Amino acid sequence: MSCHHYDHPHSRREFLRRAGCGFGAVALAALMRDNILAADAVEAKAPVPQKFPDHVARAKNVIFLFMEGGPSHLDTFDRKPLLNELAGQGLPASFKAPITAMGETKSPLLACKRTWKQHGQSGLWISDWFNRVAEHADDLAILHSCASDGINHAGGVCSMNTGSVFGGRPSLGAWVSYGLGTENQNLPGFVVIKDSEGTVVNGVRNWGSGFMPAVYQGVEFNVEGAPIKHLENPKGVTNERQREKLDLLADFNREYGATRTDNTELEARIRGYELAYRMQAEAPAVVDLSKETEATKQLYGMDHEETAVFGRNCLLARRLVENGVRFVQLYSGAGSKWDSHKNIEPLHSKLCRSVDQPIAGLLSDLKMRGLLDETLVIWGGEFGRTPMSEQGDGRDHNPTGFTMWMAGGGVKGGQIFGATDDLGLYAVEDRLHVHDIHATILNLLGIDHTKLIYSHKGRPERIDQNEGHAYKKIVS
Amino acid sequence: MKTRNTEHPTSNVQHPTSNGASARTLTSPLRRGLLRIGCFAALFCVTASAADDDAPREANKFFESEVRPLLSKRCFECHGEKKQKGGLRADSIGALKTGGDNGPALVPGDPEKSPMIQGVRYGDKDFQMPPKAKLPDTEIATLEKWIKMGAPWPQTEADKGKIAEGGFTEEQRNWWAFRPLAKVSPPEVASAWVRNDIDRFVAKKQAEMHLDPAPEASRRELVRRVYFDLHGLPPTPAQVEAFVNDQSPDAYEKLVDELLASPQYGERWAQHWLDLVRYAESDGYNADEYRSAVWPYRDWVIKSLNNDMPYNEFVRDQLAGDEIAPNDPNVLIATEYLRNPIYEWNQRDVRGQWEIILNDITDTSGELFLGLSFGCARCHNHKFDPILQKDYYRLKAFFAPVHWRDDMKLATPEQKAKYEEQEAKWEAATADIRAQMDALTKPLVDKKVEKAVDKFSDDLQTIIRKPGDERDALETQLAGLCQRQMTREKKTFDPMKSLKSEESKTKYKELEAELKKFDNIKPAPLMDAFVATDASAKAPPTFMKSRKGEQEVAPGFLTLLAPGDPDIKPIGNSTGRRTALANWITRPDNQLSTRVIVNRVWQYHFGRGIVATASDFGKLGEKPVFPELLDWLAERFVAEGWSLKKLHREILLSATYRQTARRQATEVAAKTDPTNHLLWRFNPQRLDAEEVRDSMLEASGELDPKAGGPAEDGNSMRRSIYTTKKRNNQNELLRSLDAPAGFSSTAERQSTTTPTQALLLLNGDWPIQRAHKLAGRVEKLDDAWIYTLGRLPTAREREQAEAFIKKRTGGAGAHSSSSSDAAENAGEFKENTPQERLLVQTPEKEGDEFTVEAVFTLNSIDTAAAVRTIASRWTGGKDSLEAFGWSLGVTGEKSRYKPRNLIIQLVGEDDNTNIAYEVIPSNVRIELGHRYHASAMVSCVDHNVIFRVQDLTQPDAQPQTVTVPCSVRAKLSGGASSLVFGGLNKRAPQHQWDGRIEAVRVAAGKLPEQELTSADSSKWKSALVNWTAALGPSTQFAWSGSDARATETSDPYRQALNDLCQVLLNTNEFFYLH
């Protein structure tokens, strides 16, 4: 039964080349560019169900700029003159009373203190908190009517990432990796970078793969030191020594696998170690910004203290996307720093300043390099904020109507879509639930979200739990 | 065999018929899954031919010429094969009669009562069909006429959708999982291979498929398999040899019996159950609060399995232990099952959260006990299985009265009485002191609590303020959930912060001290019971929401199987509902629950169930590969008293189980069953996460066999089932090897391979430490194989290993710098020299209150934001239990705390028992080149850090003392790191000290000011660690330098052995049973 006609390859390299032919197994299959072929070779517990993109993909990559804590749409992109007229009064009786997270229900409306201007040929209204982003007004598709289920941060962040207020479902980036695979086998397909050591609400499961195999999960890149956890050799271990260890391991595994060739998982594990080794070599180079020019760094605001961190992350995002990473998520204000229950003016001022130039720089840079067409840039948080005040000078969470915007990746720039009511409390026109937003993003990536199915416990699971619709008006 | 197999569907794709000539390739699950998803509707329409009936020819003609075209044109688009809006299909009479989410679409013979007619008439503006435009009157008339005629539908198709008793079609009733257990006898087969009855079923099916079984596994293969299978641990070398050399004919039987009888069996198999019930030790969501009283349930599961508690009793206790034996803590703890949902204590939307919790219990119970995806029926009738939306709420109603109790204790009535008696004594003795304390604090506490109450909506506030005995069941449940937020206010009340005057603070402290004097008569607290009961004997209503509005639903079982209302009687202050449910689930003739558990056991032994989708026996799941065997096992299981151990034994003793996994597919197998559904060999398996971790500890000789009790973090040497399971902060190694996080029921582990997993195993501290420990016990090369793989190396492997070691030792360079050098520049810390960091060996830890003192000079700071480290116990991580620790140092150029700030970084647990990372800045700037004497006193008790810094370069500089608050509460020295001076646990050049550190002292506890004033370290009092550079190196202190060979060991042979051991712990052979 067993194949004793196996002849020992003369080198490890030769072996790997051979092994590559029959190579399969879920995890690595997903990392292969030609994922369909690989998935076919395995009795896949996690098949990639069909070939994606299934229609013309407008975007190849995604950079999701996540303002964690809930940025105020009313003071940034959704201008409501009536809010200032009625400031100080209670919410008019014509509005359905909302449930607020903090329980302050009868607080007066809080005026917006921003100066608003129309920008670009399109004349989009944008507040002075985003003056630099406003220079790209004609590239922005602003979605004013976003809505979510999560009223608190845990539910909101989980919902925006996975479509459910519960943990346990795969994140958007995981679905994208599952559907499209990765372009670069030596890097993860889904990378997350935070702007501080703060813990994003719910922690790592925001970029987890839920019920899908771990291979689809987001990998967090550190911005200092080794970009990926455990990427560096153990203390004192040289690359040569690491290589020798891996060679010995491959030797042993080769012998073990020789009479078990039908177990593709064994080969997948061998490849996993090789991939890890290549990742050790490649990942540090990708995050090495020393070859970037000073002009580029300035473009991202890296020369100013307050924009340096997010600027560097935006530049990293561009480099990752250039190197074939499919989905990059950047967190601003990790640890709910955009949350502004009081003192919204100083809190938001500081955060907006920290991201405005970097985001504008990212858009400029992507455009200059011809990458904006194929890269979908998304801006938003887990929810917006209420028109009513909280504790006098803050705003509470508002998941019932808030703004996100998209740029590049085949969206119609210089336009607004959907609307909230006159005070920006509820989405009233073209309401886009998180499920719709996810469906829309997948649609831009060339994926019909109703066909991106993962069979879990016998159930055909979709990102939108069968509830979302892709918003196609946004496609240019 | 008096074959019953005709009663089982034989025409589905998985079940090639016995017709050898048409043996088909078994379709892969992938394809089958897709087929089912995409084309199920199509399959549904393929009908068996049926004899034509005597339906009036006219009626048929009318239907075919008028009605069918009309339905097809107007209805099928939304209510047909592709879409079923509102859960309704209009392409069969059965479907129309059964109807959709809102009930039947038509009533034959009565157009006026048929919603379909109401819809097409456009009478109700909220219900108009088709929604786009009203039908022409002639078409409406046609439909009316047809229904009036009794809605005739040609019989050939009607057969398929014929409504049988209770509104279900014959096809639905005949679905294999709903059929009663078949009375099956094992088939007669003439095969020498057969060892017991299980094998007869397998052999017969294999013969039909022209497959043959694999030979029996070798003793070495078998012993390893059965140890992992039953204990989750590898056999020790002695255990391997004992079995291999046992000449007795029943050696294997003896081994199986011995393993089943030993306590490690429970520790392994409990893990399977804990996966299924989504057991975790924290709340989930963001405030992932630690559930400190949940572990007794884990121990109960282990113990119950070890005692071979009958499965029916095991289930009944978990569903209704509080009703069965309310006074027996060993039964009551089982109801922890009802507490496993995720939850957030600070959620303001209490009603919403309670709904979610009840839904979660309902969903999980449906799939766990009955193997049905009940969750799909929450919003509409199940699209594929005969589970009505109403059935969902019928099941939910059993759980509706559940009340999460936080006021109960795990103690017998005797223990409670004794406790109360003793407590009364203490209370009497301390009444006066406590009254005085209350007088000081109560107004402040009350205010705080009141503020928390105010945050709830008005209706909840009303409920909270009601006296307990006036609340109805739902109000009791909701008030209970609200109460947690008020309790939290009380718990976090800090008199030292809240009391205004110094005088009252002093008074309070005195009273506290006074109270403490009575601790000797205070009874030891009883263990909290993390359990549930009913809120009252009268259940709150359960409402089903559909488009028609709300409808109250009474408890009931699956309508298809038991359409009536169950007999439910209150038990004490409990509704008795869950007892009724438990009794129904554990009825000996419950075809679902018996098949489900037997199949799960089979799955855990073979890696795949007889039904591959162990929690879904519905249409979207897989069908049984050996249906008769499944029924036979289920029957027997019940007949043998629901004994899991007997079932294990039966399976383990079969020839089917004893087959080797080392067999390549034959030509036939490769063609007809490449994925081994029919078990022509044993399925190769990767070890589960816990097995890998436990095996590493076993190999390194460190495994601590201590059983039971509170969980410990991943650094502990105990088995993984005792590793703390926080939903948001899983142990890194276990998570990376697919251990579930506990959010939902997990029926089957995944086996993934990722590069990040490889990185962790290659470069992570924990696996490396195991390799080093293993190397430490290896005396000769063979030992390394025996400890890791339970066998001797092959000649070739030995050759390879020897070559590896020879190359390493032959090429070894010079040893690290000589000791004379070291003495000369004692205390100099410099990157890329042999003196980068000083590693401290100390068995004791400084705890959550400690003092660090040092004399140092700093030459440079990091150009980025990194912190130059004076002393640390820290991995540098911030988000895992291993990362707990601290680091004292000076900030870099770009630090947000400004450069040259003396700070201490803390990673520990905060108030919520979440992992908290915190920077405590002194805001004292360290001048480069100046010599300093500084100390930091960290206190998680006082919640502050006191820095004392003196610049020794300036003769008259006064020491600066700064007190900074901190919020970390505990576990500061609980991490994986050891104590390091001049850097972090792992080499990280930008964090290393650049300059001199002359002396460091680490003392447990806070030190009085006068003990911290001397910069002359020779005068320092002894402490946990006391190091002075001038004294040179010792066994306790070891320099770690940039030179690779100097770090772990300077002996090239040991180093190569370390690497070899690490390689062996990473081999596929270590990770796989194949």
Side-chain angles (χ1 to χ4, degrees), chain B residues 495-496 499-509:
Chain B
M496 288 306 115
L499 287 170
K500 295 279 174 310
S501 67
E502 284 307 317
E503 189 194 341
S504 55
K505 283 185 192 172
T506 314
K507 173 120 189 267
Y508 190 87
K509 273 191 177 164

Side-chain angles (χ1 to χ4, degrees), chain A residues 148-207:
Chain A
S148 165
D149 300 324
I151 189 167
N152 58 12
H153 297 288
V157 173
C158 194
S159 185
M160 188 53 78
N161 275 301
T162 72
S164 166
V165 295
F166 276 121
R169 294 188 65 87
S171 55
L172 177 62
W175 281 101
V176 170
S177 305
Y178 167 61
L180 298 175
T182 186
E183 296 259 300
N184 184 336
Q185 285 183 54
N186 301 341
L187 290 173
F190 173 18
V191 170
V192 178
I193 309 175
K194 302 187 299 187
D195 66 339
S196 76
E197 295 113 355
T199 304
V200 174
V201 164
N202 305 327
V204 295
R205 69 175 162 84
N206 286 311
W207 43 92

Side-chain angles (χ1 to χ4, degrees), chain A residues 27 236 255 259 265 273 457, chain B residues 367 662 753 796 1044 1059 1066 1072:
Chain A
E255 199 152 290
T259 52
E265 282 189 34
Y273 281 86
K457 288 191 209 159
Chain B
E367 62 183 71
R662 294 207 56 194
T753 301
R796 191 179 142 78
D1059 284 358
N1066 275 282
Y1072 278 83

Side-chain angles (χ1 to χ4, degrees), chain A residues 57-341:
Chain A
R58 306 307 298 258
K60 234 173 78 187
N61 314 299
V62 175
I63 298 176
F64 194 146
L65 310 166
F66 201 113
M67 310 291 114
E68 197 215 333
S72 169
H73 55 301
L74 297 164
D75 302 295
T76 53
F77 294 97
D78 198 3
R79 178 173 168 266
K80 296 294 173 191
L82 186 65
L83 182 58
N84 286 22
E85 281 174 39
L86 300 183
Q89 303 176 27
L91 187 68
S94 56
F95 282 77
K96 188 181 131 200
I99 299 177
T100 54
M102 289 300 129
E104 256 192 62
T105 43
K106 290 159 189 100
S107 306
L109 295 166
L110 178 70
C112 165
K113 298 197 173 59
R114 301 291 94 224
T115 309
W116 294 77
K117 260 197 255 165
Q118 287 181 287
H119 294 270
Q121 298 205 324
S122 52
L124 297 186
W125 286 100
I126 295 173
S127 92
D128 56 359
W129 267 344
F130 279 104
N131 273 335
R132 308 309 307 271
V133 170
E135 291 165 14
H136 296 274
D138 293 339
D139 292 317
L140 305 186
I142 302 186
L143 309 171
H144 277 320
S145 51
C146 300
S148 165
D149 300 324
I151 189 167
N152 58 12
H153 297 288
V157 173
C158 194
S159 185
M160 188 53 78
N161 275 301
T162 72
S164 166
V165 295
F166 276 121
R169 294 188 65 87
S171 55
L172 177 62
W175 281 101
V176 170
S177 305
Y178 167 61
L180 298 175
T182 186
E183 296 259 300
N184 184 336
Q185 285 183 54
N186 301 341
L187 290 173
F190 173 18
V191 170
V192 178
I193 309 175
K194 302 187 299 187
D195 66 339
S196 76
E197 295 113 355
T199 304
V200 174
V201 164
N202 305 327
V204 295
R205 69 175 162 84
N206 286 311
W207 43 92
S209 55
F211 45 67
M212 287 185 192
V215 70
Y216 301 114
Q217 79 198 357
V219 173
E220 193 180 336
F221 268 40
N222 306 317
V223 287
E224 277 178 41
I228 303 175
K229 211 168 175 193
H230 307 304
L231 193 71
E232 284 179 346
N233 291 343
K235 57 191 171 200
V237 174
T238 58
N239 278 345
E240 187 195 355
R241 191 172 145 195
Q242 184 87 335
R243 186 66 263 172
E244 284 170 4
K245 268 197 283 186
L246 284 169
D247 286 346
L248 185 66
L249 177 63
D251 278 342
F252 289 159
N253 280 342
R254 175 181 66 196
E255 199 152 290
Y256 183 73
T259 52
R260 298 168 173 89
T261 52
D262 58 345
N263 187 348
T264 52
E265 282 189 34
L266 300 178
E267 288 169 18
R269 261 193 108 249
I270 295 175
R271 288 288 287 236
Y273 281 86
E274 288 306 312
L275 197 48
Y277 185 77
R278 289 206 301 273
M279 211 178 252
Q280 287 194 294
E282 185 148 333
V286 172
V287 300
D288 176 11
L289 303 182
S290 62
K291 300 236 161 62
E292 296 287 342
T293 65
E294 283 312 305
T296 301
K297 289 180 182 168
Q298 277 169 25
L299 181 64
Y300 284 86
M302 286 175 65
D303 52 341
H304 285 93
E305 197 183 333
E306 54 192 357
T307 47
V309 173
F310 203 70
R312 179 193 51 205
N313 293 357
C314 283
L315 177 53
L316 279 174
R318 189 214 80 209
R319 291 177 62 94
L320 289 167
V321 160
E322 270 179 328
N323 280 280
V325 174
R326 182 76 68 181
F327 198 103
V328 182
Q329 196 177 37
L330 302 185
Y331 280 90
S332 161
S336 298
K337 301 219 171 57
W338 281 85
D339 201 21
S340 302
H341 291 280

Side-chain angles (χ1 to χ4, degrees), chain B residues 5 67 76 208 335 416 442 499 522 529 608 646 659 737 834 848 981 1028:
Chain B
N5 79 347
V67 183
F76 287 4
E208 283 169 13
T335 63
K416 283 182 202 164
K442 192 163 182 300
L499 287 170
K522 199 177 179 182
R608 181 169 49 221
K646 284 182 184 156
Q659 291 177 97
L737 292 163
D848 291 330
F981 297 157
T1028 302

